[in-house]
Amino acid sequence: MGLNPTRVTNTMIVTYELNKMKQHAILPLLLWGFLFFTSSLFAQTGKAAYSLKGQLVDSLTQETLPYATLGIASTTHPEKTIAMMAADGDGLFTLPMKAPGTYIVTFQSVGMKTKKVKVTLTAKAKVLDLGKILMDDEKQALGNVTVTAQKPLVKIDLDKITYSLQEDPESQTNNTLDMLRKVPMVTVDGEDNIQLKGSSNFKIYLNGKPSNMLSSSNASDVLKSMPASQVKNIEVITDPGAKYDAEGVGGIINIITVKNAMQGYTGTVNATVSALGRAGAGAYFTTKIGKLGLTANYNYNYQHNPWTESHYENTQYGTYGNTERGDGRSKSYGAFQFGSLEASYEIDSLNLLTVGANIFNGNMTQKTEQQVAMTPADGVALTPYQYKKNMMGKPTFGGTDVNVDYQHNMHKKDETLTVSYRFSNTPNDSKTKTFLSDTVDYPYASGFPKWNVNDAYTNEHTLQVDYTTPLFKGHTLEAGLKYILRQNNSNTKERILDAATGGWVKDPASSLLNDFKHRQQIYSAYLAYAIRYKKFGFKAGLRAEGTALKVKYADAPEENFSDNMFNLVPSATVSYRISTTQQLRLGYNMRISRPGIWYLSPYVDNSNPYNISYGNPNLEAEKSHGLNLNYSLFTAKVNFNANLSYRFVNNAIQSYTFVDENGINNTTYANMGHNQNTGLFLYGRYSPVKFFNISLNGGINYTDLQGTNGTEAISNSGFAGRLFANAQFSLPKDFAITLNGGYFTPSVQLQGQGSSFYFHGISLNKSFLKKRLTIAIYCNSPFVKNQKYTNTTEGDTFRQYSVNYQPMRDFRFRVSYRFGTLKGTIKKVKRSISNDDLKSGGSSTGSTQTED
C-alpha cells in the first residue's frame, strides 16, 4: 500500500489507527522500492508477451494517484497473489503477464477504497488498456481500523501555503483577523497590525484580486468584522512569480471567501456584539439558476471605541534645547460597511463571463484632548509655554472596485485565454479642526483655531490578458500583457478662524502646495514556464515592466517633473518531494514597491506646529531581492513547516525625522534605506487524538537597517521575534473550546524600537439544528484590562518617546444561521487582475513603518 502525496497534501488525510502502521516518512519509500523490485523480478521470469496498463485516478477530484499499488491473482485462486507492483508518480502502470486468462486485479491507495477489477487477456488482445480506473474515498470502519476523513488544515504547493479555515472548528467562533494569527508565517500583534514573515511589506488580496477594503490602513478593521465562517482558505504566497506585478511585494496574503455557488441556494446571516463598543451584522447569499451563478455578501459595523490614555515627550538638544510633554486621551466612533456582488455566467462549455464589484466605505469621528507644556533646557533662551488642545477629525475612507473577466477554454485540456478589465476608485479625504485654550506664551496661538482639509483620491484602470497552455506532459507555459493607468489627486486646504467675521479664511502663513496631481502608466509583459518531473517541480519566469509618470502642481508649476523607468524582473522556484509527506522548496524573486499617494503627497500635517509630517513626491520605486528555503512535513497527525528567508533592499523607502533650522521636528520619507533581513519562521500542529490539537506559529528575524536622517548616516540592527500558540478541544454535543495566546518582542526601527506585548484568549461555541445555528462566545485577554505600548525614536539632535494604553479585555458574542440547499457546482474564471505594486503604508498623519 503506497501513500498518495496528492491526497495527503491537497485533498484528504486519512488516519489509520493500526498498531503495525508507523508514521516514519521512510516507510512509503521502502514499500514502493520493494514492490518495484518484485514487479521487476516478475517481469524478468518470462518473456511477458501479455500486459495490462492503465492509470489510477481519484473519482472525486480527478487527480492522479501516484505510487498506488496493485496486485493480481487468478480467478481460480483469488486468495493467492501472483504479482504486485506500484504505479508511477502519475498513477500510470504497465503490468507484464506471462499467459492469457481471467484475473482479478486489486488496486490500493491510502485514503481510497480498495478496488477489484476482473480482466480477461486473450491471444487476440495481448495488451489490455484499462484506461482511467476511478477510485473512491474510504469512508467506512473495518474491524480494528478506524478511518477518520478530513481535509488537511495546511497544504503546500510550488509557490504558496494554504490554510483551510473550513477545516478549523474555531472559524465558527472567531473573525478572520483572529484566524490570521494561526496561518503559517503570518502574525498579528496586540494593536492588530498584520505582518508576513515579520514584515509589513506585503499585500492582501480578496479572491485573487486587490481590494480597496483590504488596503493597509483598513485591513484590520475589515477583517475583524468579517466572520471567519465566510472564508474558505487563506493562501500565503511567499514566492510571487512572473505573473504577478513586478512591483509586487515580498509576499501576498490571499483570502478566498466561500463561493459554493451551486444549483439551488444557500445563505448565512450573522450578528456580533462586543463589550468594547463594536456591533455588526452581515449576510451571505449564493445561488445558481441554470448557467447563472450569483454570490452576494454584505456587512455593516458600528464601533464606539472607549477613551484611551496617552503620553509623549519630545526632546531637542543644542540651540533649541527643550522638552515638550503632552498628556491626553483619544476616542473614535463611527460606522463602516462593505460588501460584494459577483455574477458568473457559462456562455457555453468553452466560454465563461464573470462580473463583480466590491464596495467599502466608512466615516469615522476621531477626538483628541491634550494638555501640552514646554520646558527649555538650561542655558537656552526660550520662553516656556503651555496650552490645551482639542482636535476633531473626520476621515472618509473606502473604495469601489468593478471587474469584468472573460475566460475562453481551448479544445486542449487546461489551455485558457483570459481577458480582464478592472476599475478602482479610492478616496482618502480628511477634515480636522483644532482648537486651543488656556494658552500661556504659546508662539503659534494666533494660527488657531485651524481647519485642515485634504481631498485625495486615486482612480485606476487596468486591462490584462493571460494565456496558459500545457505544452506536453508536466510542462506548462504562461504568458500575459498588462496596462495600468493610475491617477492620484490631492488638494489640500488650510484655514484659520477670522475672529472678526467668524468665518474660515486662508492662512497667510501657509506654504502648502495645494493642488497635486500624479499620473502613472505601467506597461508590462511576462513569460513563465513550469515543469513537474517525478519528484521535482520547477518554475521560472521573467517580467518586463516600463513606467511613465508625471507630477504636476497647480500652484507651483516650476516644481513639475516626469520620469520613466524600465525593469526586468526574474523569479524562480524549485521543489523536491523528499517523500510522500515531505517537500523541500527553494525560491528567488525580485520585487518592486512603488510609493502610494501618501508617500508622495506634499500635504503637510501641522496640527502640532512643532511636529509636522509630509510626503516626498521625488520618491522612486524600491527594489528588493529575496531568497526562501522552505521545508514542509504534513501527515495525518503532524503538520510542520519551516521557512528560512533572506531579503535585501538597497533603496528602501523609509520615514525619518529631523530638526530644521527653526527647531521644528519634520517627519517625511526618502529612498535612503539599505535593509537586510534574515528570518526563520516555524509552524507546527499536532493532533494526537481526533478531538484535540495544538499548534504553534512564529519566528525570529535579524534586521540590519541603514539610512540617513537627511544629513548624516544612521543605522540600527537587532533581533525581533513573535510566537502564537493555540489549543482546540472538540467536545461531544457539538461543543468546542479554544485557548490561545501570543507574545511579540520589541520591533526594530531605523531610529528606535517599538513595543513588546502579549495577549491571550478563550472561546466557546455550540452548534444546533444540525450545525445550521451556531452561537459563540469569545473573551480576549480576560486578565489584562489595558496594554501599554511604547515607541522610541531618537537621533543626535532629538528624542521622541510615546506611550499609549489600549483596552485589551473584551467579550464578544456572535450568532449565525445557515439556510438553503445546494446541488451541483458552477465554474469560475481561473485568472483575474492583481495590482500589487503599491508600497503598503503611508498615511495623512505621516505614520512610520518598518519594512524588510
Side-chain angles (χ1 to χ4, degrees), residues 49 56 70 77 102 104 136 166 210 252 357 360 368 421 475 595 644 767:
L56 295 165
L70 58 150
H77 298 284
T102 302
I104 296 176
D136 299 325
Q166 287 190 318
I252 296 170
F360 170 60
T368 301
Y421 168 76
H475 293 248
L644 179 64
S767 297

Side-chain angles (χ1 to χ4, degrees), residues 428-431 451-457 489-495 506-507 510-517 553-555 597-598 600-606 613-615 844:
N428 267 302
D429 301 337
S430 63
K431 299 178 181 180
W451 183 23
N452 288 44
V453 178
N454 186 39
D455 295 325
Y457 68 89
N489 293 270
S490 175
N491 189 13
T492 63
K493 298 177 182 178
E494 190 174 74
R495 301 288 186 264
K506 184 176 180 179
D507 185 358
S510 175
S511 59
L512 290 178
L513 298 176
N514 293 325
D515 196 346
F516 163 76
K517 296 183 183 298
Y553 302 95
D555 297 340
I597 187 170
W598 283 119
L600 296 166
S601 175
Y603 165 68
V604 178
D605 181 357
N606 59 358
S613 58
Y614 46 88
S844 58

Side-chain angles (χ1 to χ4, degrees), residues 477-488:
L477 177 69
E478 297 176 321
L481 300 171
K482 189 173 186 179
Y483 169 73
I484 303 174
L485 172 61
R486 182 177 292 128
Q487 297 168 306
N488 295 317

Side-chain angles (χ1 to χ4, degrees), residues 317 614 616 652-661 664-674 705-716 749-752 793-800:
Y317 310 110
Y614 46 88
N616 178 4
I653 298 173
Q654 291 182 335
S655 66
Y656 69 98
T657 302
F658 66 93
V659 180
D660 63 20
E661 63 275 8
I664 307 299
N665 288 323
N666 290 248
T667 299
T668 186
Y669 304 94
N671 291 100
M672 63 179 186
H674 299 275
L705 306 174
Q706 299 182 29
T708 71
N709 60 4
T711 58
E712 59 184 359
I714 55 177
S715 64
N716 194 15
Q749 302 172 4
L750 181 62
Q751 291 179 282
T793 304
E794 56 187 331
D796 293 338
T797 60
F798 73 95
R799 181 180 186 272
Q800 296 179 345

Side-chain angles (χ1 to χ4, degrees), residues 200 257 272 286 298 345 477 495 561 578 608 623 627 631 664:
S200 58
T257 58
T272 304
T286 181
Y298 176 78
Y345 181 72
L477 177 69
R495 301 288 186 264
F561 70 93
I578 302 172
N608 183 341
K623 304 173 185 177
L627 287 171
Y631 168 78
I664 307 299

Side-chain angles (χ1 to χ4, degrees), residues 314-324 374-383 385 444 610 659-665 797-798:
N314 293 335
T315 301
Q316 296 183 17
Y317 310 110
T319 305
Y320 296 96
N322 68 84
T323 298
E324 183 184 80
M374 187 276 286
T375 304
D378 293 340
V380 176
L382 291 177
T383 302
Y385 61 76
Y444 294 97
Y610 273 103
V659 180
D660 63 20
E661 63 275 8
N662 298 315
I664 307 299
N665 288 323
T797 60
F798 73 95

Side-chain angles (χ1 to χ4, degrees), residues 7 53 56 72 125-126 160 168 174 199 211 226 228-229 238 245 357 365 371 460 549-550 566 627 790 828 840:
R7 296 197 59 81
K53 68 178 183 178
L56 295 165
I72 191 165
K126 295 183 178 181
K160 66 185 177 183
D168 191 329
N174 288 349
S199 170
S211 174
M226 182 183 294
S229 58
T238 56
D245 285 339
T365 298
Q371 184 166 340
E460 187 176 270
L549 63 89
K550 292 183 179 181
F566 179 79
L627 287 171
T790 62
K828 292 187 60 63
S840 301

